[in-house]
């Protein structure tokens, strides 16, 4: 027996000695961009790896000799690379470029495993959706392609209305979403009252939405993570795209320079300019935004990028009183990607984010009002990936964040100054995380993780300076059972905490942010997710996830305060009440990629309830009642499909590539309150309302279509397009209000008034690329 153990030990030792480590990058052949989540396999084995977001992979314990690697990604033609590994413990590094794939790849049969990467990734991917620029631009939208609009049609994600860019994810509100642009926090990422989101799709490489159960790397929010990555820029040649629609224009340029690549993008609406030329009196409104990124490839194992974003909205009106609203975001990020050795990959980030909101109202009688909200965020992050072998994949890192939030209001009227906010709230939040993707065998993978976070808040008001300190531990755990190469089942649990809250999370997506100050407690949430993924046919994949979420220390504004800040006490508890909540449901998605028809059909069932102190009370007992929040939709169905006629048939239409797009959305009505009775106090009539969720608004239904013609010539292309929003002219109710009315017989009644969302709207535009 001892001899057998000795021989087994010697065999393992010799195997390790005769093994090498192979690492490298997978790149896009046309532009040099790094390809995330590409599969790198050793032919004839189940040994391999997936590239990370930087396109990097590492495979340990590769035997010596002639080794063939098979590299693939669903959007690219696969490649085979042969490496001769001659020395034990040799480190092999190589780069491989993949070419964009068409419908069929001759000579290599990979279509039968088209969705395998998404089903059986190295890490346990829970509630995750990755979308590229092509995906975003293929969905019909209001005037311009929009990141948030493309996400709102996903199962588990909903919107308040056509005028809302806020993401309501599995029962959570928009302020519970962590939104990152190049690893930098973005606050209130919306334009034009929420109709447009902040990001220009042409400047974006990919968008990753984690709807729940997100890994230990992320924290600070209760519901979801939206991770947006800017383009590095084309490393091979200069190129550009310009887009002109009925209300805006944009241009994006990218290309190589001596040490790497660059990308610049700018977008602006021009309705205000057209109105001035035509001498038409309309509110003076415009927005602009811009992205820029410079990439410096220091060496094969070092990359430095510097990127920025800037955007601003301005709305001016004169209706006897002059009103000016302006708001905008700025972000600045420097990132260094460094490979210490094949097993240790690092990502260092220095980031700054700034949001400013300003409201001014001036009258001829000198009754002037000004409000301003200012957020400054400085962050430093170090993120490491350690891959000691093919069994363990360890992520660890830390983040230090400094937040400075200011909110003040001034007036020249006789208004009581103690109710005008004058707030400065600096805070420091530090966190550390570690997580291991542990492959137990060919079938079982577990992913334990933990995140530690500490927040130190100092609130500076007119009369006092309270301080709050919090320390939270957030465990994470996932387990997956691989059933076959094309299906698996998984379970996830995660604990999440949030040290910030927003005063207003309405449809505009704009809110006044405050760190938790000690008078109210930080929010907390537990996520439980059970899911199943499979490829049911060559061109179809099926996903289903059930979820259950609990919420603690939810905050809700106290309506009786009329949002008046009390500077004598200066704490959030003066205007907020706290409570709890829960949500559960199921998300189902059928993905298609069949003969030019690409997209998905999704269904969501969701049930969300809250219970807040002193809110929605029973008139008899005075006890708080559970209620559905105003954004709750029980059932949603989305049909999002595009058909590339020319790619599928190999034919042109009048010499142009022809592509159709369609989106159908159905949702059950959202809850609303209704009048119970009229009350007359001797002077005025007052409507007394029911519980907050007594009735549901009518069901929502909207069908959008688009058609695009693309002519290509001598390195240029021109693509005119037409979109029709709400093709069937369905009247979707936006708001419902009630007013007392006097009938002809002198009886009092209550009349209902509905306002509606978008009618049928046609849009024309043109895209030019070179």
């Amino acid at each position: 027996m001892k001899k057998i153990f000795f021989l087994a030990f010697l065999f393992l030792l010799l195997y390790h000695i005769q093994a090498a480590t192979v690492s490298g990058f997978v790149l896009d052949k046309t532009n040099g961009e790094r390809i995330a989540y590409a599969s790198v396999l050793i032919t004839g084995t189940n040994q391999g790896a997936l590239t990370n977001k930087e396109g990097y992979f590492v495979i340990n314990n590769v035997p010596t000799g002639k080794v063939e690697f098979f590299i693939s990604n669903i959007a690219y033609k696969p490649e085979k690379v042969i490496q001769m590994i001659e020395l034990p413990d040799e480190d092999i590094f190589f780069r491989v470029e993949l070419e964009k794939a068409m419908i069929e790849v001759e000579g290599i049969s990979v279509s039968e495993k088209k969705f395998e990467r998404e089903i059986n990734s190295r890490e346990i991917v829970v509630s995750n959706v990755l979308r590229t620029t092509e995906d975003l631009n293929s969905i019909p939208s209001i005037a311009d392609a929009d990141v948030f609009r493309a996400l709102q049609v996903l199962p588990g994600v909903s919107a308040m209305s056509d005028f809302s860019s806020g993401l309501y994810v599995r029962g959570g509100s928009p302020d519970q979403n962590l939104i990152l642009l190049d690893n930098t926090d973005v606050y209130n990422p919306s334009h034009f009252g929420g109709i447009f989101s902040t990001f220009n799709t042409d400047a974006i490489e990919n968008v990753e939405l984690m709807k729940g159960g997100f890994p230990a790397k992320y924290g600070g929010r209760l519901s979801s993570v939206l991770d947006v990555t800017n383009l590095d820029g084309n490393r091979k040649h200069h190129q550009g795209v310009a887009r002109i629609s009925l209300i805006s224009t944009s241009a994006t340029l990218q290309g190589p320079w001596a040490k790497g690549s660059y990308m610049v993008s700018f977008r602006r609406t021009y309705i205000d300019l057209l109105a001035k030329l035509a001498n038409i009196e309309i509110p003076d409104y415009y927005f602009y935004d811009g992205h820029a990124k410079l990439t410096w490839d220091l060496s094969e194992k070092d990359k430095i990028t510097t990127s920025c974003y800037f955007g601003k909205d301005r709305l001016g009106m004169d209706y006897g009183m002059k009103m000016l609203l302006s708001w905008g975001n700025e972000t600045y990020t420097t990132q260094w990607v460094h490979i210490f050795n094949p097993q240790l990959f690092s990502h260092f980030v220095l980031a700054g984010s700034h949001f400013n909101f300003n409201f001014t109202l001036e009258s001829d009688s000198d009754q002037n009002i000004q409000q301003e909200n200012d957020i400054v965020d400085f962050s430093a992050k170090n993120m490491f990936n350690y891959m000691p072998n093919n069994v363990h994949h360890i992520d660890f890192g830390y983040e230090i964040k400094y937040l400075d939030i200011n909110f003040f209001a001034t007036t020249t009227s006789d208004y009581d100054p103690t109710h005008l906010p004058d707030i400065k709230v600096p805070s420091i939040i530090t966190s550390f995380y570690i997580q291991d993707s542990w492959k137990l065998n060919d079938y079982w993978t577990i992913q334990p993780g933990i995140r530690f976070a500490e927040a130190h808040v100092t609130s500076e008001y007119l009369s006092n300076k309270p301080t709050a300190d919090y320390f939270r531990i957030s465990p994470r755990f996932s387990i997956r059972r691989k059933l076959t190469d094309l299906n698996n089942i998984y379970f996830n649990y995660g604990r999440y905490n949030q040290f910030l809250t927003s005063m207003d999370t309405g449809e505009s997506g704009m809110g006044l942010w405050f760190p938790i100050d000690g008078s109210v407690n930080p929010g907390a949430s537990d996520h439980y997710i059970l899911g199943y993924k499979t490829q049911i046919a060559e061109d179809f994949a099926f996903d289903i996830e059930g979820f259950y979420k609990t919420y603690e220390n939810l905050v809700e504004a106290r309506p009786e305060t009329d949002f008046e800040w009390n500077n004598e006490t200066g704490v959030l508890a003066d205007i907020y009440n706290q409570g709890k909540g829960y949500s559960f449901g199921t998300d189902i998605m059928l993905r298609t990629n069949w003969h030019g028809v690409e997209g998905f059909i999704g269904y969501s069932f969701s049930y969300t309830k809250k219970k807040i102190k002193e809110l929605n009370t029973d008139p008899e007992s005075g006890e708080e009642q559970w209620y559905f929040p105003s954004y709750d939709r029980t059932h949603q169905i989305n049909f999002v499909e595009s058909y590339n006629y020319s790619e599928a048939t190999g034919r042109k239409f009048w010499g142009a590539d022809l592509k159709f797009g369609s989106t159908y959305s159905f949702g059950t009505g959202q809850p609303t309150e209704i009048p119970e009775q009229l009350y007359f106090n001797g002077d005025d009539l007052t409507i007394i309302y029911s519980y907050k969720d007594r009735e549901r608004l009518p069901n929502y239904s909207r069908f959008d279509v688009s058609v695009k013609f693309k002519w290509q010539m001598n390195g240029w292309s021109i693509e005119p397009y037409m979109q029709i929003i709400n093709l069937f002219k369905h009247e979707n109710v936006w708001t419902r209000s009630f007013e007392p009315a006097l009938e002809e017989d002198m009886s009092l009644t209550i009349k209902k008034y509905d306002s509606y969302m978008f009618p049928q709207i046609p849009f024309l535009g043109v895209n030019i690329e070179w």
Side-chain angles (χ1 to χ4, degrees):
M1 183 64 70
K2 290 182 179 179
K3 187 176 180 179
I4 294 175
F5 279 128
F6 174 76
L7 290 174
F9 174 77
L10 183 62
F11 172 79
L12 291 173
L13 181 63
L14 290 173
Y15 177 82
H16 177 74
I17 291 174
Q18 297 299 318
T21 298
V22 177
S23 61
F25 287 97
V26 180
L27 311 173
D28 188 309
K29 189 174 183 177
T30 59
N31 56 31
E33 287 273 1
R34 300 179 180 188
I35 301 175
Y37 310 122
S39 173
V40 183
L41 293 173
I42 298 177
T43 305
T45 73
N46 61 356
Q47 190 175 357
L50 280 179
T51 60
N52 62 16
K53 286 188 67 175
E54 290 292 332
Y56 179 75
F57 70 91
V58 60
I59 305 174
N60 292 289
N61 301 327
V62 180
T64 57
K66 185 178 179 181
V67 180
E68 182 181 78
F69 297 89
F70 184 80
I71 300 97
S72 64
N73 179 283
I74 190 173
Y76 294 84
K77 296 179 181 179
E79 289 284 344
K80 294 179 180 180
V81 174
I82 296 176
Q83 292 286 326
M84 180 59 69
I85 302 174
E86 300 177 348
L87 300 175
D89 289 336
E90 186 177 6
D91 290 339
I92 302 296
F93 180 90
F94 69 86
R95 292 169 179 254
V96 61
E97 294 183 338
L98 301 185
E99 186 178 347
K100 284 280 188 180
M102 301 298 287
I103 293 299
E104 296 180 357
V105 181
E106 295 184 3
I108 303 177
S109 178
V110 295
S111 59
E112 69 274 6
K113 295 186 178 181
K114 186 175 295 183
F115 299 99
E116 181 180 7
R117 193 277 301 168
E118 298 178 26
I119 294 172
N120 285 315
S121 62
R122 177 64 179 84
E123 294 187 357
I124 301 176
V125 179
V126 178
S127 310
N128 180 286
V129 179
L130 183 71
R131 312 213 74 166
T132 64
T133 301
E134 290 82 0
D135 298 330
L136 300 174
N137 287 327
S138 67
I139 297 177
S141 57
I142 305 298
D144 297 315
D146 187 88
V147 173
F148 282 23
R149 295 293 176 187
L151 297 175
Q152 286 173 345
V153 296
L154 293 171
V157 185
S158 61
M160 282 286 288
S161 72
D162 290 347
F163 310 114
S164 167
S165 65
L167 300 178
Y168 296 83
V169 182
R170 290 183 171 175
S173 54
D175 64 329
Q176 296 171 0
N177 303 323
L178 176 63
I179 299 174
L180 301 171
L181 177 63
D182 278 351
N183 286 292
T184 305
D185 290 36
V186 181
Y187 300 88
N188 300 331
S190 63
H191 286 304
F192 195 45
I195 295 181
F196 300 97
S197 66
T198 291
F199 311 119
N200 183 357
T201 58
D202 289 323
I204 292 171
E205 172 66 22
N206 58 60
V207 176
E208 189 171 9
L209 176 67
M210 287 158 267
K211 295 185 289 183
F214 39 94
K217 174 183 176 180
Y218 301 99
R221 297 295 189 275
L222 300 183
S223 283
S224 72
V225 175
L226 179 62
D227 195 351
V228 181
T229 304
N230 276 323
L231 286 168
D232 276 359
N234 194 319
R235 289 174 170 83
K236 299 296 184 72
H237 57 268
H238 300 280
Q239 70 176 93
V241 58
R243 303 186 189 276
I244 303 173
S245 69
L246 293 178
I247 64 173
S248 69
T249 185
S250 66
T252 302
L253 300 174
Q254 55 178 311
W257 67 289
K259 296 291 184 178
S261 59
Y262 72 89
M263 182 276 297
V264 291
S265 181
F266 186 78
R267 175 176 62 166
R268 192 192 191 280
T269 56
Y270 52 78
I271 295 178
D272 60 317
L273 303 177
L274 294 178
K276 289 177 181 178
L277 289 174
N279 198 25
I280 300 174
E281 291 290 334
I282 62 172
D284 183 16
Y285 173 78
Y286 67 86
F287 78 74
Y288 64 81
D289 53 42
H291 301 246
K293 192 170 186 177
L294 184 67
T295 301
W296 187 6
D297 297 320
L298 289 174
S299 68
E300 282 188 334
K301 299 182 180 181
D302 289 276
K303 183 184 80 167
I304 293 178
T305 62
T306 299
S307 60
C308 67
Y309 167 83
F310 54 91
K312 184 178 181 180
D313 288 64
R314 185 186 184 280
L315 173 62
M317 299 177 65
D318 189 348
Y319 53 91
M321 301 182 72
K322 295 181 179 179
M323 184 192 74
L324 177 63
L325 271 171
S326 65
W327 65 94
N329 285 282
E330 300 169 357
T331 68
Y332 307 92
T333 311
T334 297
Q335 304 180 81
W336 175 29
V337 172
H338 174 66
I339 302 172
F340 285 98
N341 57 57
Q343 286 86 11
L344 185 57
F345 180 92
S346 64
H347 190 171
F348 302 93
V349 180
L350 288 175
S353 179
H354 177 223
F355 172 78
N356 179 265
F357 170 83
N358 195 293
F359 169 75
T360 303
L361 190 64
E362 298 179 354
S363 68
D364 296 334
S365 58
D366 293 330
Q367 300 292 313
N368 301 332
I369 299 173
Q370 182 181 4
Q371 289 185 356
E372 185 171 353
N373 183 216
D374 195 75
I375 305 173
V376 177
D377 178 335
F378 294 109
S379 301
K381 307 178 186 179
N382 284 0
M383 296 168 285
F384 300 91
N385 305 114
Y386 179 51
M387 296 152 280
N389 49 51
N390 293 330
V391 175
H392 295 278
H393 185 159
I394 302 170
D395 296 313
F396 63 97
Y398 67 88
E399 177 181 5
I400 302 173
K401 179 186 293 292
Y402 171 78
L403 274 174
D404 190 8
I405 300 180
N406 298 273
F407 178 50
F408 73 87
T410 60
T411 181
T412 57
S413 69
D414 296 331
Y415 191 80
D416 185 354
T418 62
H419 294 302
L420 292 174
D422 188 357
I423 307 161
K424 180 178 176 62
V425 189
S427 62
I428 296 176
I429 302 173
T430 58
S431 57
F432 170 80
Y433 69 91
I434 185 168
Q435 176 178 286
D436 183 15
S437 294
W438 184 358
K439 187 176 181 181
L440 300 177
N441 53 44
D442 288 341
Y443 296 99
W444 290 95
T445 302
I446 62 173
Q447 190 170 285
I450 194 166
R451 185 180 182 91
F452 304 92
E454 183 176 21
H456 177 79
V457 183
T458 302
S459 304
E460 301 180 7
Y461 304 103
L462 287 178
S463 57
N464 57 0
K465 297 182 179 181
T467 299
D469 291 286
Y470 303 100
F471 178 74
R472 295 291 186 269
I473 300 176
S474 304
R476 317 284 169 87
F477 180 78
S478 299
I479 184 170
R480 181 182 65 197
R481 174 59 159 89
K482 178 181 175 182
L483 304 176
T484 70
D485 286 343
L486 296 176
N487 62 79
N488 66 54
I489 189 170
Y490 54 88
F491 171 78
N492 169 274
Y493 165 76
R495 174 78 170 177
Y496 304 92
N497 296 281
Q498 183 164 334
F499 302 107
L500 294 169
T501 188
S502 178
M503 182 179 288
D504 178 20
T505 57
E507 296 196 41
S508 68
M510 266 195 327
L512 303 176
W513 290 83
F514 298 97
I516 299 299
D517 65 357
S519 66
V520 295
N521 294 315
S525 179
D526 291 298
H527 294 195
Y528 304 86
I529 298 171
L530 180 65
Y532 172 74
K533 295 184 178 183
T534 185
Q535 180 172 322
I536 58 178
E538 180 177 328
D539 301 299
F540 300 92
F542 176 80
D543 304 344
I544 181 170
E545 281 190 352
F547 66 90
Y548 176 73
K549 297 164 63 176
T550 63
Y551 296 98
E552 302 170 19
N553 304 322
L554 293 176
V555 294
E556 195 86 18
R558 298 170 59 187
E560 69 273 14
T561 67
D562 198 24
F563 307 106
E564 291 184 341
W565 189 266
N566 188 344
N567 281 316
E568 293 180 350
T569 56
V571 293
L572 291 182
D574 291 334
I575 57 171
Y576 279 123
N577 281 328
Q578 289 201 281
K580 56 186 177 180
Y582 65 89
S583 63
F584 63 85
T586 303
D587 296 338
I588 299 174
M589 177 184 283
L590 175 66
R591 290 175 288 163
T592 62
N593 191 350
W594 176 73
H595 295 291
V597 178
E598 186 173 358
F600 65 87
I601 300 171
Y603 166 76
S604 295
F605 165 75
S606 180
Y607 188 95
T608 303
K609 279 205 163 184
K610 292 181 178 181
K611 187 177 182 180
I612 306 295
K613 181 182 177 182
E614 299 179 6
L615 191 64
N616 201 55
T617 58
D618 183 270
E620 295 182 0
S621 66
E623 295 182 356
E624 297 90 5
Q625 304 296 308
W626 289 94
Y627 67 92
F628 294 101
S630 59
Y631 51 81
D632 178 72
R633 288 190 189 274
T634 307
H635 302 281
Q636 290 188 105
I637 298 173
N638 291 291
F639 175 95
V640 181
E641 296 286 355
S642 63
Y643 176 60
N644 194 322
Y645 169 83
S646 299
E647 192 175 272
T649 65
R651 301 174 183 173
K652 302 284 187 179
F653 187 82
W654 292 345
D657 294 328
L658 177 61
K659 187 174 184 178
F660 299 94
S662 63
T663 300
Y664 174 71
S665 297
F666 170 85
T668 52
Q670 296 159 304
T672 185
E673 57 187 5
I674 60 174
E676 292 285 349
Q677 59 181 336
L678 279 173
Y679 173 73
F680 181 65
N681 62 7
D683 296 316
D684 300 311
L685 280 172
T686 303
I687 297 177
I688 299 177
Y689 286 91
S690 64
Y691 296 123
K692 293 173 69 66
D693 56 353
R694 176 68 78 185
E695 188 177 75
R696 294 266 176 174
L697 295 174
N699 293 336
Y700 176 92
S701 178
R702 197 179 100 184
F703 184 52
D704 305 336
V705 295
S706 68
V707 59
K708 297 180 179 180
F709 301 87
K710 189 173 185 178
W711 283 272
Q712 302 186 54
M713 60 205 101
N714 300 324
W716 285 69
S717 70
I718 183 169
E719 184 182 52
Y721 65 86
M722 181 180 72
Q723 299 179 151
I724 301 178
I725 305 301
N726 197 8
L727 178 67
F728 297 142
K729 302 180 181 180
H730 190 270
E731 292 187 336
N732 295 305
V733 175
W734 180 26
T735 62
R736 175 164 289 175
S737 60
F738 301 89
E739 292 183 7
L742 189 64
E743 298 289 353
E744 293 182 358
D745 60 358
M746 303 305 292
S747 62
L748 284 172
T749 187
I750 300 175
K751 287 195 173 181
K752 176 180 70 177
Y753 298 91
D754 288 342
S755 61
Y756 297 93
M757 303 183 209
F758 286 127
Q760 185 187 86
I761 305 176
F763 278 101
L764 299 173
V766 62
N767 305 323
I768 302 172
E769 297 184 37
W770 63 94

